[in-house]
Amino acid sequence: MTTETAQGTAAAAPAGGAIRAYLTGHLREYGLLIALVAIMAFFQVLTDGTLLRPVNITNLFLQNSYIIIMALGMLIVIVGGNIDLSVGSVLGFVGALAAVMIVNWQMPVWVTVLACLLTGIVIGAAQGYWVAYWGIPSFIVTLAGMLVFRGASLWLLEGQSIGPFPTEFQRLSTGFVPDLLPWLGEPLAALAGARRVNGLTMAVAALASGAILWLGLRARARDRAYGMELEPTAFFVLRNAIVIGAILFLSWKLATFRGLPNVLVTMAVLTLVYAFITERTTLGRRIYALGGNRKAAALSGIPTERLTFLTFVNMGFLAALAGLIYAARLNVATPKAGFALELDVIAAVFIGGASMSGGVGRVVGAVVGAFIMGVMNNGMSIMGIGIDYQQVIKGLVLLAAVIFDVYNKRKQA
Amino acid sequence: MKPLLQMRGITKTFPGVRALDGVNLTVHAGEIHALVGENGAGKSTLMKVLSGVYPHGSYDGEILFDGAPVAFRSVRDSEEKGIIIIHQELALVPLLSIAENIFLGNECARGGVISWRETWARTEALLAKVGLDEAPQTPVERLGVGKQQLVEIAKALSRRVRLLILDEPTAALSEADSEKLLDLLLELRAQGVTSIIISHKLNEVRRVADRVTVLRDGATVASHDARAETLTEDMIVRDMVGRPMENRYPPREGRQAGEVLMEVRDWRVAHPEHAERIVVRDVSLRLRAGEVVGIAGLMGAGRTELAMSLFGESWGRKLAGEALIEGRPADISRVDRAIASGLAYVTEDRKELGLVLDEPITFNVTLANLAGVSRRGVLSPREESRVAERYREAMVIRTPGVHQKVVNLSGGNQQKVVLSKWLFADPRVLILDEPTRGIDVGAKYEIYTIINRLAAEGRGILMISSEMPELLGMCDRIYVMCEGTVVGELSADEASQERIMSLIVKHRRQAA
């Protein structure tokens, strides 16, 4: 017994050193995940379990969908070395436009949606043009845009709120995917003693979990084959256990409520698409090069101006999409819609590890960053903490996240 | 003479590396002390220990200044004692005037109110001392690198410098400016200023140094007294690399000039902001396959401007001229088109213009040819690693792995990454701008070997260099540029430093 323990310690000691070295190098990534889990646990306790009630989880997704959708575009803008302060106003403007078109002009929903998305693209292009081809700092161009579109939505709405929207439009945000696999849900419900279980939700969750595990294992095998630094097995297992556990847990909650919200599907698909673009395509690679060293990128034959332009076009498109979802969720367009929302979006991206100077940041980080903000918003609201304290706390969390980043970088150097 | 500075048994370790291993350095008052060694030998680390960038306690060993032990906790501490470093990358504020820069953080002020009269008067005295004929109010950005260097020295003098440390002071200077700077160092020595000069240029070291300390692999390998023994460059090189270097340039074998690869006719380029300033004036040149052709000239001759305007018009505004590649007019009006036409430009400023420093080798090597590691726009990480690995072997890039960030590599290895990037784009014509700037002797030889190999493969090499021996040692032909025009063309047999200089001087005299 004694010898066994001694051997065990001896074997563990060098491994412990390697794990510590690995951890200091990758503290950021784990830190983010751990922070999210910790914050959720914290509010779960403080709200007496309200946070993770099925209805609230559904709400969490609905409430944060537009922030996450815009964070995807903002991440790309920031990685490209710019910033977009106008997205809150653009979101409000597009919502107003949708309300005017549908409610006042009685236009069909699909025409409105297309026109609004197109409007977002045009707005993005109009701002991106000055930044990309005239070299005007994005801070200034989009600050101007923020004022212009705030004013434009006031003008469109004539200072009034316009609503409500037809159900068809509301479904963009508050609708749920119909359960295509009820035969799967029934036995599950019987098994768990739940009133009902959405089969499709659980099937999707199982598929997603499987895919995550499979892709993770594949990437790991590739890393090993190419002699890249390998994540310690314990970390790999733990990280995937947390992620998959969270997916299954949240899906179960959703499944026992009303199933998959439409918006969650939109969000998940967009996240996957943008993660793929940024990490695996030449287009994404060029954006990182642009933000990392614009001159070197230009001298490598990368069309830096056009690329900058496109990052803003993309941002405009996503801001418009978020605007539609936002309006559909509130079921009314108001002149105040989206006020100061750009700050939440930018904060999410920086909490997610992006760098102000460009070239650094990941889509997954931005999404987790947005959830951290979202859970805090939601948790504090449930607890009845005033908006005043909420702002202070959110500000401090943003600052802490960035200080943590800088501290971490310094320790590595 | 008593020693002004003694560093004894300095050992500094970073995670996984021992950068300095018991280094000793003794500098006597009133001497010019040269510190030489290959990149990565530990020169910069040693100077960072001395100046307090690495604070006392983060290294082992002791430092005595003026015979008393010192423990600097920051750069401020060492500056207080009069130890001042002038870094390779100058630390001046471009938009402030010379006077403001010199007295930055040390203003001639009473109660926070600056006395401009006193500032300017003192600046004038300092500028006279360093031999810079400029008004104290001139913004620093209007000065060339050489003059900026003098401003830095004036700044050091304003702080009652006792030990002046110059890190590669002539790396960015033309021959004439370098001469001036070295003369100034000798003059300062006569006035009693002690200095340490870090340099790769051994002819300069030989010219000014009273004592030479050689570092290799983080240890002191030799310390020569130049006044007691006659130092030769070969002796120093032997200490630096640990073996005798017979030839500084590899033999040019297997090279054969073939068909004309690129021809430039009447190329004329204006300054991007001042349209009336013609920076490249009607330049015509030809480059054959398998040839290494040099472009000689002083700083400001318009060589880099010519190269960058040829490469996708990435500098200035092109006014006239045409370029032919393999006999056909080529569209090189944008960088991507220039690359498609078979052109590559290896910049003189690899950190600013050549590399994305925070990204790994794989990222940088594939950047100019992403199509080569992707299918339908989707990158293949496997292919990227394979490509980077191939160049790591072919170019002997010294790194723990191809996923290492390039910021962690030494200058020579970074340069090899830039070269790899362009080779992966498979160009017919390579324009190399100062390809060995800031690189140590051993790595230079490797770069030369690579250049020869590329020429032997039938590519054309256009090589810009401010080091004339390098051009003479490497090139089949040399164009001489002065004030934006080609003032002469010399074959390898005809070329010599004197011929090149006389062409430049003759042009200047005619112009004047």
Side-chain angles (χ1 to χ4, degrees), chain A residues 226 280-282 285 293 300, chain B residues 355 363 377 379 382 384 421:
Chain A
Y226 283 88
R280 284 297 301 277
T281 66
T282 56
R285 175 60 58 84
N293 186 343
S300 300
Chain B
L355 295 167
F363 184 108
L379 289 166
R382 189 181 308 221
E384 273 191 278
K421 169 172 93 172

Side-chain angles (χ1 to χ4, degrees), chain A residues 53 64 66 205 303 317 403:
Chain A
R53 291 242 300 271
N64 292 296
Y66 43 87
F317 166 74
I403 290 172

Side-chain angles (χ1 to χ4, degrees), chain A residues 218 221-223 225-229 276-303 306 357-360 409 411-413, chain B residues 15 308 311 314 334-336 339 345 347 350-359 362-364 366-371 374 377-386 389 402-403 405 421-422:
Chain A
R218 216 178 58 151
R222 198 175 56 218
D223 288 357
Y226 283 88
M228 286 172 71
E229 188 188 23
F276 182 78
I277 289 177
T278 50
E279 280 167 35
R280 284 297 301 277
T281 66
T282 56
L283 179 65
R285 175 60 58 84
R286 288 183 175 138
I287 294 169
Y288 281 89
L290 165 73
N293 186 343
R294 196 171 61 84
K295 291 181 193 163
L299 279 176
S300 300
I302 290 169
R306 195 169 63 210
S357 51
V360 180
K409 224 176 192 175
K411 220 169 57 178
Q412 276 178 46
Chain B
M308 287 185 72
F311 190 62
S314 35
R334 265 180 18 195
V335 174
D336 50 347
I339 294 173
Y345 169 69
T347 166
R350 58 181 166 264
K351 286 186 178 161
E352 279 288 310
L353 305 178
L355 295 167
V356 185
L357 286 169
D358 275 332
E359 297 287 354
T362 44
F363 184 108
N364 280 284
T366 55
L367 194 57
N369 181 16
L370 286 173
S374 60
V378 178
L379 289 166
S380 157
R382 189 181 308 221
E383 197 54 35
E384 273 191 278
S385 297
R386 199 176 301 156
E389 204 60 61
V402 293
H403 298 284
K405 287 181 181 179
K421 169 172 93 172
W422 288 112

Side-chain angles (χ1 to χ4, degrees), chain A residues 296 299-300, chain B residues 344-357 361 364-368 391 395 397 406 409-425 427 430-435 439 447 450 454:
Chain A
L299 279 176
S300 300
Chain B
Y345 169 69
V346 178
T347 166
E348 62 174 333
D349 190 349
R350 58 181 166 264
K351 286 186 178 161
E352 279 288 310
L353 305 178
L355 295 167
V356 185
L357 286 169
I361 296 173
N364 280 284
V365 167
T366 55
L367 194 57
Y391 282 103
M395 305 284 229
I397 300 171
V406 292
L409 303 181
S410 72
N413 284 312
Q414 287 182 349
Q415 186 68 349
K416 290 178 195 167
V417 173
V418 179
L419 270 172
S420 303
K421 169 172 93 172
W422 288 112
L423 291 186
F424 184 51
L430 272 117
I431 307 175
L432 308 179
D433 197 349
E434 305 282 1
I439 290 178
I447 300 274
I450 294 166
L454 297 177

Side-chain angles (χ1 to χ4, degrees), chain A residues 10-21 232:
Chain A
I19 285 177
R20 196 167 309 129

Side-chain angles (χ1 to χ4, degrees), chain A residues 69-126:
Chain A
I69 287 170
M70 290 200 289
L72 298 173
M74 190 64 78
L75 174 91
I76 290 178
V77 168
I78 286 175
V79 164
N82 289 300
I83 196 144
D84 192 339
L85 299 175
S86 72
V87 295
S89 295
V90 173
L91 171 140
F93 176 72
V94 169
L97 181 65
V100 168
M101 286 180 78
I102 293 180
V103 180
N104 292 6
W105 301 344
Q106 314 282 319
M107 306 264 279
V109 168
W110 68 269
V111 173
T112 307
V113 167
L114 279 183
C116 285
L117 293 178
L118 199 66
T119 305
I121 288 173
V122 171
I123 290 173

